[in-house]
Amino acid sequence: MRMNISINNDWYFKPSFTPEDVRSSSVAGFEAISLPHTNKVLPLNYFDEKDFQFVSCYKKTLVFDENWRGKDIFINFGAIMTQAKIYYNGLHIKTHQGGYTPIQAKLPDSFAQDKNAIITVEVDSRELDKIPPFGGQIDYLTYGGIYREVELEITDKTHIAAFFPFPKVSDANTKIDFTSRIQSEESTKSSLKVALFDGQNLIAEQEYALSLEKGENAFSASLENLQGITQWDLHQPQLYTVVVSLNEDKIEKRIGFRTMEFKPEGFFLNGKRVQIRGLNRHQSFPYVGYAMPKRAQQKDADIMKYELGLNTVRSSHYPPSKYFLDRCDEIGLLVFDEIPGWQHIGGKAWQDVATENVREMIERDLHHPSIFIWGVRINESADNHDFYTRTNAVAKELDPDRSTGGVRCINDSELLEDVYTINDFVHNNGYITWRGAQTQQDVSKAYERPMTNEELDTYALREQQQVTGLDHKVPYFITEYNGHMYPTKSFDQEERMIEHALRHARVQNAAYGDAYIAGAIGWCFFDYNTHKDFGSGDHICHHGVSDIFRIPKWAAYIYASQQDPQEKVVLQGLTYWTRGERSIGGIAPLTVATNCDSVDFYYGSEKLGSFSPATEEFPHLPHPPVILREIEGEWGMHWDAGEIVGFIDGKEVARQKFSANPTPVNLEVTVDDTELSAGDWDSSRVVIRLLDEHNNPLPFVDEIIELECEGVGEIIGPDSFSLIAGVRAFWVKTQGTAGNIDIKISTRYHQLQQSISFHVT
Ligand code: GAL
């Protein structure tokens, strides 16, 4: 028998800690909370980054259940930022360092007599120099608290402590090799049963005789000759469940069968080259930092796959929520999973924690078919032969099949991994750039002079051997570009917004055009809160192709439009459609992010021409934007409406109209999910847009939105705020109970109002 019981509710929290908290059973001065939990709710921007860096205390009472008698009882934390000390009725049972990997603590057998267990967790959320990613400066915030889910796991004394499946596809023998650790109460003979299911259908099963010693036993074997297996791929991400049983004990892992191979010529999934097209994702959210539940984690994966048309995400710079990974498995989104760290490498003890992070990451995540590479270096750190020999060795020992990479930004770096992965920030639209600038003078060199013809070879990306310094080609891809090279706010001036989008197009074009670059993952999916030494002084890095609420900027449409129009037709004019916004004025050149074959352009009712994608400028992109350079026609003093119409195979498939005189007439409210779950707290995003007569946002409208929430939920963050670039979002949070949540959304000045309802069941 094995039970996994989530225990996310009825916790108590105090934003301070004293040793007395360990001994005392009192929760006087504590606040009742549910997990995931942030130790500090922050404003959207301009806050003090020290606000969440403190030691806090969490408490929960567990009551013994007679069904648990004679069992092993574990408490499993998804993650705690940054260092956690866990106590059982005042007795210290575990210390864990590192804020991104799971923590398991075994409760003492005396729980059966004690009946009540007070679990106290001392949570140190300071940036402790001894623990990765700390010790230097980092361009993101790590927040604080018990920010992931927690469960009790109850097992027989003799149980499967770990099971690691390695599904292998081949013509001769498709099979699952596996390794496992079995905890036995005594020396005995037993057997392990491994069964593979496709949904409810049993595909194969086998029983393996075991000769167990008292204590921990290692056991490896294979489930061979599997028939009728469908491979996991990006379009049909077929998943199977492997069920492992030992006597009454049983665990399940969801897996997928696929081959993955890196060659100098690219990345091959099931033997077919897949061009990596992705973005980096932090796991942060406005106000609550990392503390968001399953649905919000999963939604990010959905946005990346379905709205941005990506096939890859890098979990910069740490292992993400298991729910995010589950969703990537389900929808077919490749993941670069990476250990925590940023540029700085600490001393021996620090490196021990980082090496342990490799183990924890791989042991937790190994079964996910979506993970195509392990990041086993500290992002953008210097070479360190001994340290990275160790991290690579741990990865290979645990997972001999999967490739390792490690993100660097230095040239001629020692390649200890299978794949050379590099942040290539060379693109500066024709200006000579710097890398690793230390002083303001260095920084000013970013625009020192235009590139020479020779240097223009490295206009968007360098060729791999310029970077590796090797005399031969290796598996190679780009893990970051753009980002700080061109921060762009969602409310920036039109020309900057367009250039931001075009930079993403240029680098992707270069990646597509180089057979020895497996693809490119841009910086980054959405804007994120950061330390004061980064970002725009507002504690935000405006580096995203979307804003902090995951609402797309124009650069997002460059990605979205690379998808096959069969999946989704994209037609987005990158224009505010106004004569005076740009320097000098006018709207040309007019860039349209689209996967249409051609675009007709109308000024007023007059058709001014048909235009094709800019294949000369972007010869390698699947779908170059259409750039209308010369828009002929009568402009005069009169300013008229505009319209772009997209065609595929001669058929109209999309249309966007622009108003000559936009006014806010439509308060559009879209909800990610209206059906939410009771029990553990759940959440959905609500996106608000104030739109003109043609449903385009009004980029500079400063309307105030007011929210009124009734029922079994609450708003995360403030309940009144101004729009940003004509849009904004918030997340609603359930309170655990079933019922309805009704939210009224109104504008303060324009008489517009909408209502939305959620059902919590
Ligand atoms: C990289 C770094 C990222 C982010 C990015 C901004 O150097 O790896 O975390 O800071 O720059 O462009």
Side-chain angles (χ1 to χ4, degrees):
M1 181 217 67
R2 178 180 291 244
M3 285 185 271
N4 294 80
I5 304 167
S6 70
I7 49 163
N8 295 314
N9 292 325
D10 305 318
W11 282 81
Y12 290 87
F13 166 75
K14 183 165 67 75
S16 63
F17 175 84
T18 64
E20 186 48 34
D21 291 325
V22 172
R23 289 185 287 273
S24 159
S25 59
S26 161
V27 288
F30 283 64
E31 177 196 347
I33 56 115
S34 298
L35 306 177
H37 179 256
T38 182
N39 65 356
K40 177 81 188 171
V41 175
L42 298 164
L44 187 65
N45 56 15
Y46 289 108
F47 47 78
D48 183 345
E49 67 204 36
K50 291 274 179 222
D51 275 1
F52 55 83
Q53 297 176 31
F54 56 84
V55 187
S56 62
C57 184
Y58 287 77
K59 268 186 189 293
K60 177 166 177 75
T61 303
L62 301 171
V63 179
F64 188 77
D65 180 323
E66 275 311 313
N67 290 319
W68 305 347
R69 191 163 287 282
K71 310 284 182 193
D72 276 349
I73 303 174
F74 302 92
I75 185 164
N76 297 334
F77 293 85
I80 301 174
M81 187 63 68
T82 305
Q83 175 176 275
K85 289 192 184 153
I86 303 167
Y87 301 87
Y88 166 95
N89 289 342
L91 175 77
H92 174 247
I93 54 170
K94 181 92 181 182
T95 294
H96 183 266
Q97 296 189 327
Y100 296 98
T101 45
I103 304 153
Q104 182 171 69
K106 186 171 178 302
L107 303 188
D109 288 342
S110 62
F111 189 16
Q113 291 88 58
D114 301 339
K115 299 285 188 226
N116 284 324
I118 297 172
I119 302 296
T120 306
V121 191
E122 175 190 344
V123 177
D124 191 340
S125 303
R126 291 173 301 176
E127 300 189 347
L128 304 169
D129 283 2
K130 60 181 181 184
I131 302 175
F134 305 118
Q137 280 168 314
I138 59 171
D139 170 21
Y140 50 98
L141 300 180
T142 50
Y143 310 96
I146 304 183
Y147 73 88
R148 284 185 185 155
E149 289 78 0
V150 183
E151 63 166 19
L152 274 189
E153 186 166 32
I154 296 120
T155 69
D156 293 333
K157 290 272 170 202
T158 295
H159 63 262
I160 308 155
F163 179 83
F164 304 112
F166 301 89
K168 299 209 170 132
V169 191
S170 75
D171 289 343
N173 179 9
T174 291
K175 60 176 180 169
I176 303 171
D177 293 341
F178 61 84
T179 60
S180 64
R181 292 198 293 263
I182 290 164
Q183 183 67 34
S184 185
E185 211 185 354
E186 52 185 1
S187 296
T188 179
K189 300 255 179 269
S190 184
S191 70
L192 189 76
K193 196 158 92 185
V194 178
L196 181 70
F197 288 87
D198 174 2
Q200 299 299 314
N201 299 332
L202 178 68
I203 306 277
E205 73 180 322
Q206 198 173 327
E207 206 155 333
Y208 306 83
L210 297 177
S211 217
L212 298 174
E213 302 290 325
K214 186 172 186 299
E216 194 169 280
N217 300 259
F219 179 73
S220 316
S222 302
L223 182 65
E224 311 234 9
N225 289 316
L226 302 170
Q227 303 299 319
I229 296 294
T230 304
Q231 293 184 15
W232 182 94
D233 72 18
L234 302 182
H235 300 288
Q236 196 189 341
Q238 173 76 36
L239 296 171
Y240 293 87
T241 308
V242 50
V243 180
V244 192
S245 358
L246 173 77
N247 307 323
E248 299 295 298
D249 185 40
K250 203 194 291 186
I251 59 174
E252 291 187 9
K253 296 249 168 155
R254 212 167 53 164
I255 60 164
F257 292 83
R258 76 280 182 272
T259 62
M260 289 180 162
E261 195 184 357
F262 275 102
K263 300 184 200 171
E265 297 79 23
F267 171 65
F268 294 79
L269 177 64
N270 301 324
K272 269 179 52 191
R273 189 180 192 279
V274 170
Q275 175 76 18
I276 294 165
R277 187 174 74 228
L279 290 170
N280 283 271
R281 173 192 181 248
H282 269 302
Q283 62 172 4
S284 52
F285 290 81
Y287 316 117
V288 292
Y290 286 166
M292 283 296 268
K294 179 174 170 182
R295 191 185 302 275
Q297 305 290 341
Q298 295 189 326
K299 181 66 188 173
D300 271 3
D302 282 11
I303 296 173
M304 297 187 92
K305 169 99 181 178
Y306 299 115
E307 290 180 28
L308 302 182
L310 305 172
N311 60 25
T312 307
V313 53
R314 171 168 167 238
S315 72
S316 47
H317 301 295
Y318 36 75
S321 154
K322 66 177 180 184
Y323 297 117
F324 181 77
L325 294 174
D326 282 344
R327 192 65 186 154
C328 293
D329 291 345
E330 289 165 8
I331 64 179
L333 185 65
L334 297 166
V335 183
F336 183 126
D337 199 2
E338 161 166 272
I339 54 167
W342 205 84
Q343 295 190 347
H344 166 82
I345 300 176
K348 168 84 176 60
W350 190 102
Q351 291 176 27
D352 287 347
V353 178
T355 310
E356 187 54 24
N357 285 165
V358 176
R359 176 179 303 281
E360 292 168 321
M361 169 177 77
I362 297 182
E363 291 198 341
R364 188 195 70 160
D365 295 345
L366 177 119
H367 62 284
H368 291 285
S370 55
I371 295 172
F372 73 123
I373 190 165
W374 300 119
V376 301
R377 291 173 69 112
I378 301 304
N379 170 63
E380 293 194 335
S381 55
D383 281 347
N384 186 318
H385 180 83
D386 293 348
F387 176 35
Y388 292 135
T389 301
R390 257 177 97 195
T391 59
N392 273 283
V394 170
K396 286 297 169 194
E397 170 209 320
L398 297 170
D399 185 3
D401 296 344
R402 210 152 347 196
S403 296
T404 57
V407 173
R408 61 265 279 162
C409 57
I410 46 172
N411 289 359
D412 306 337
S413 162
E414 186 189 16
L415 181 60
L416 295 164
E417 298 77 28
D418 300 310
V419 186
Y420 200 109
T421 48
I422 177 87
N423 293 348
D424 193 344
F425 285 105
V426 79
H427 184 53
N428 194 18
N429 196 17
Y431 281 82
I432 193 71
T433 57
W434 55 277
R435 186 69 201 152
Q438 301 296 327
T439 65
Q440 278 309 315
Q441 274 116 324
D442 284 343
V443 173
S444 65
K445 285 188 197 140
Y447 287 96
E448 194 182 64
R449 59 175 172 80
M451 287 176 139
T452 63
N453 281 346
E454 221 164 71
E455 287 163 343
L456 276 170
D457 284 347
T458 59
Y459 177 61
L461 284 176
R462 285 164 294 173
E463 198 246 309
Q464 65 154 277
Q465 279 162 287
Q466 281 178 279
V467 173
T468 65
L470 299 169
D471 60 3
H472 59 284
K473 300 267 199 278
V474 293
Y476 181 95
F477 71 94
I478 311 299
T479 33
E480 289 182 36
Y481 53 88
N482 291 350
H484 63 280
M485 297 300 295
Y486 208 73
T488 303
K489 302 177 191 72
S490 58
F491 47 92
D492 254 326
Q493 205 260 353
E494 176 173 289
E495 285 154 297
R496 190 169 188 96
M497 296 274 289
I498 297 168
E499 171 61 12
H500 182 230
L502 290 175
R503 286 182 180 220
H504 281 273
R506 291 187 206 113
V507 179
Q508 277 294 330
N509 177 65
Y512 269 94
D514 188 328
Y516 297 102
I517 297 180
I521 304 176
W523 193 265
C524 58
F525 174 17
F526 53 80
D527 299 345
Y528 53 96
N529 287 128
T530 189
H531 284 94
K532 66 175 173 41
D533 300 308
F534 302 88
S536 296
D538 54 355
H539 277 96
I540 296 181
C541 264
H542 296 266
H543 295 175
V545 305
S546 318
D547 73 5
I548 202 164
F549 302 102
R550 288 68 167 152
I551 301 174
K553 302 175 193 170
W554 288 342
Y557 294 100
I558 292 294
Y559 290 92
S561 60
Q562 301 316 312
Q563 356 177 25
D564 191 323
Q566 301 265 14
E567 309 276 341
K568 189 180 186 178
V569 173
V570 177
L571 178 81
Q572 177 68 42
L574 311 188
T575 175
Y576 293 153
W577 196 260
T578 157
R579 274 189 297 187
E581 159 72 358
R582 292 191 188 189
S583 322
I584 311 180
I587 57 145
L590 173 60
T591 303
V592 182
T594 186
N595 47 11
C596 292
D597 303 340
S598 69
V599 170
D600 281 1
F601 174 62
Y602 291 83
Y603 179 69
S605 54
E606 192 187 349
K607 180 172 162 183
L608 297 188
S610 285
F611 300 83
S612 303
T615 44
E616 269 182 31
E617 209 173 323
F618 301 97
H620 311 296
L621 274 187
H623 299 285
V626 174
I627 303 179
L628 291 66
R629 287 190 195 284
E630 281 155 37
I631 306 175
E632 287 173 30
E634 277 299 309
W635 295 87
M637 291 306 288
H638 173 71
W639 182 236
D640 217 331
E643 191 161 15
I644 50 178
V645 186
F647 292 86
I648 295 177
D649 295 333
K651 275 218 298 280
E652 179 185 328
V653 288
R655 197 175 262 265
Q656 189 183 12
K657 213 166 172 174
F658 303 99
S659 173
N661 186 17
T663 50
V665 291
N666 177 11
L667 181 65
E668 184 197 74
V669 177
T670 50
V671 178
D672 287 345
D673 287 295
T674 52
E675 299 295 323
L676 302 178
S677 307
D680 289 347
W681 76 270
D682 197 357
S683 181
S684 172
R685 187 180 60 147
V686 180
V687 179
I688 304 168
R689 291 185 170 86
L690 191 52
L691 303 175
D692 69 13
E693 56 183 306
H694 297 309
N695 287 328
N696 295 311
L698 297 123
F700 308 119
V701 75
D702 61 354
E703 176 60 281
I704 302 218
I705 301 292
E706 284 164 346
L707 309 176
E708 280 169 62
C709 180
E710 281 178 8
V712 296
E714 60 205 70
I715 310 287
I716 296 179
D719 59 8
S720 78
F721 42 72
S722 62
L723 294 171
I724 303 174
V727 298
R728 183 120 173 190
F730 65 90
W731 278 263
V732 61
K733 170 179 184 178
T734 65
Q735 293 164 334
T737 43
N740 287 340
I741 306 172
D742 299 304
I743 302 179
K744 213 160 79 188
I745 299 152
S746 19
T747 54
R748 185 174 295 178
Y749 302 113
H750 302 91
Q751 301 299 302
L752 297 166
Q753 196 173 306
Q754 296 288 347
S755 294
I756 47 167
S757 294
F758 299 86
H759 305 117
V760 187
T761 52

